Amino acid sequence: GTADDDDLTNNTTPTLSGTAEANSTVNISSDVDGAVATTTADGAGNWSVATSTLAEGAHNLTATATDAAGNTGAASAALAITVDTTSPATPGAPDLDAASDSGTADDDNVTNNTTPSVSGTAEANITVTINSSLDGQVAATTADGAGNWSGTTDVLAEGTHELTATATDAAGNNSAASMALTVTIDTTSPAAPSAPDLDAASDSGSADDDNVTSNTTPTLSGTAEANSTVNVTSDLDGAVATTTADGAGNWSVATSTLAEGAHNLIATATDAAGNTGAASAGLAITVDTTSPAAPSTP
């Protein structure tokens, strides 16, 4: 079990030891099972013996010594032990704490946190061990008096983990493994998106491909990692747009109002785990809303 001196065990044939008269016969009795062991003390009076199978439950074990003439002395003081072979109940499935679930959602179990906190329920005051299908044992903790537990894992490898909880009681009995929590550890940044492109419909004026426009909320488009969050930034105005790439990686978005002047627009992609990749190449556009001066009189 959890301690080697609490006299609580799941060993049904435990080994006992003690002292008695040298060379005497020592008989061990249980108040539940009756006679459970016989051995002989050595010349120094020391003895050790494994019992026969003890029943589940609490036992008071006493020893008596019988000498060569057949005289039996008084019984020893009792040793109170408990034999417990019953496995604890299966814990509930672990849950990834919201604070450890990085990225666009705190409940999708995709994270770039390699030492996440998980929690759950089990029998009160029991030892809970967390195991990963990739990394083996990754955490151990103790449930509180209400059966609630929480623990931070060791460093988890990149990839998909099936995390299960097992409970171990004070006697050393293990429960069945819980239902699994599937967690994906993703620390890889997405590739840089393509440079944004000014849509032809937003490129006003004499040409629809010169990136000079009077449209202060132009529509941009491009490509990025599929389903990633795309953020567009201007060197004049800061963040000007956010959108999500579709399953093929295509995205399109209208900016917030851009200031008059020249802008260098870049895009970054952030995946579901919260990893942000390098910035794209820039798109240089000019926003010009100033009307020209009146011509001279013909």
Side-chain angles (χ1 to χ4, degrees):
T2 54
D4 61 5
D5 59 359
D6 61 0
D7 297 325
L8 175 63
T9 184
N10 61 10
N11 186 339
T12 59
T13 58
T15 297
L16 310 173
S17 58
T19 58
E21 183 176 299
N23 304 308
S24 63
T25 299
V26 178
N27 291 289
I28 310 299
S29 295
S30 158
D31 61 341
V32 173
D33 293 323
V36 293
T38 299
T39 190
T40 301
D42 64 20
N46 299 304
W47 61 266
S48 178
V49 66
T51 71
S52 55
T53 301
L54 301 182
E56 176 107 358
H59 295 255
N60 282 313
L61 301 176
T62 57
T64 58
T66 301
D67 63 20
N71 302 300
T72 299
S76 68
L79 167 67
I81 72 167
T82 299
V83 175
D84 176 6
T85 60
T86 303
S87 297
T90 303
D95 183 55
L96 181 64
D97 290 357
S100 290
D101 196 339
S102 65
T104 53
D106 64 6
D107 59 359
D108 63 358
N109 298 327
V110 178
T111 182
N112 62 13
N113 186 338
T114 59
T115 56
S117 292
V118 291
S119 57
T121 58
E123 283 189 14
N125 305 311
I126 210 162
T127 298
V128 178
T129 303
I130 308 301
N131 291 284
S132 159
S133 57
L134 291 184
D135 294 324
Q137 182 175 326
V138 294
T141 188
T142 302
D144 64 20
N148 299 304
W149 61 266
S150 180
T152 299
T153 70
D154 299 333
V155 176
L156 300 183
E158 178 108 358
T160 299
H161 297 252
E162 299 289 322
L163 299 179
T164 56
T166 303
T168 303
D169 65 21
N173 301 298
N174 293 319
S175 73
S178 71
M179 297 288 288
L181 165 69
T182 302
V183 173
T184 299
I185 305 296
D186 176 6
T187 60
T188 303
S189 296
S194 66
D197 184 54
L198 181 62
D199 286 5
S202 290
D203 195 339
S204 65
S206 57
D208 64 4
D209 60 358
D210 63 359
N211 297 327
V212 178
T213 184
S214 62
N215 186 338
T216 59
T217 57
T219 297
L220 309 173
S221 57
T223 58
E225 182 176 296
N227 305 308
S228 62
T229 299
V230 178
N231 292 289
V232 180
T233 305
S234 159
D235 59 345
L236 284 187
D237 294 324
V240 294
T242 298
T243 190
T244 301
D246 65 19
N250 300 303
W251 61 268
S252 180
V253 66
T255 71
S256 56
T257 302
L258 301 183
E260 177 106 359
H263 295 255
N264 191 48
L265 301 176
I266 59 172
T268 58
T270 301
D271 65 20
N275 303 299
T276 299
S280 70
L283 166 68
I285 73 168
T286 299
V287 176
D288 179 4
T289 60
T290 303
S291 298
S296 62
T297 301

